[in-house]
Amino acid sequence: MDTALIVTVVVALTAWVFLLRSSMISMIWGPVVRSAGGDAVWAAVTSVVLYIAGLAAFALVVLAVHWALGGLPARALVLVLSVLYAPVAFMPAPDRGARPYEDVRRALVRAGATEEQARACAWATGPLAFAGLAVVGGAVISVFAG
């Protein structure tokens, strides 16, 4: 496979993720946190459980697509699914700011979370973004490796 194509896809996917990340926090993560009422621990636990469930579901769908379709149709569909899921998978990714997860916490507060909920959710779910990188990255690699 052409290395330039792979690099182009990865760069485009990264730009896509950072373009939509805060919107995904507002549309998906914010309502999850608000559903916990004012309880920061419950919001963090719910966030972690739903994040892991989402990763597992995405991984199973990717495997099912490769199994059911195979070849070029599977690769095309997995690439589309990866592009759609990547902003969700990278919602809790830590930033490089002076205060870890500052942008995630700020986006959660804008989405209706309390400061305590935002802090608890960011710290509990944030490290899982590396698992999200592995799952989405594995799906993208499966597009080019086969």
Side-chain angles (χ1 to χ4, degrees), residues 34-51:
R34 285 193 309 270
S35 72
D39 189 0
V41 173
W42 183 246
V45 169
T46 304
S47 295
V48 166
V49 168
L50 290 176
Y51 187 82

Side-chain angles (χ1 to χ4, degrees), residues 95-120:
D95 60 348
R96 295 182 52 155
R99 296 178 56 202
Y101 302 111
E102 183 174 8
D103 63 332
V104 174
R105 293 191 321 249
R106 192 175 329 116
L108 280 170
V109 169
R110 277 196 310 267
T114 65
E115 285 286 336
E116 294 78 22
Q117 286 176 320
R119 185 179 307 106

Side-chain angles (χ1 to χ4, degrees), residues 44-67:
V45 169
T46 304
S47 295
V48 166
V49 168
L50 290 176
Y51 187 82
I52 291 171
L55 283 181
F58 176 75
L60 289 173
V61 167
V62 167
L63 289 173
V65 166
H66 278 297
W67 177 79

Side-chain angles (χ1 to χ4, degrees), residues 10 13 58 82 86 89-90 130-144:
V10 170
L13 189 58
F58 176 75
S82 296
F90 297 117
F130 296 106
L133 175 63
V135 171
V136 173
V140 171
I141 288 170
S142 77
V143 168
F144 296 106

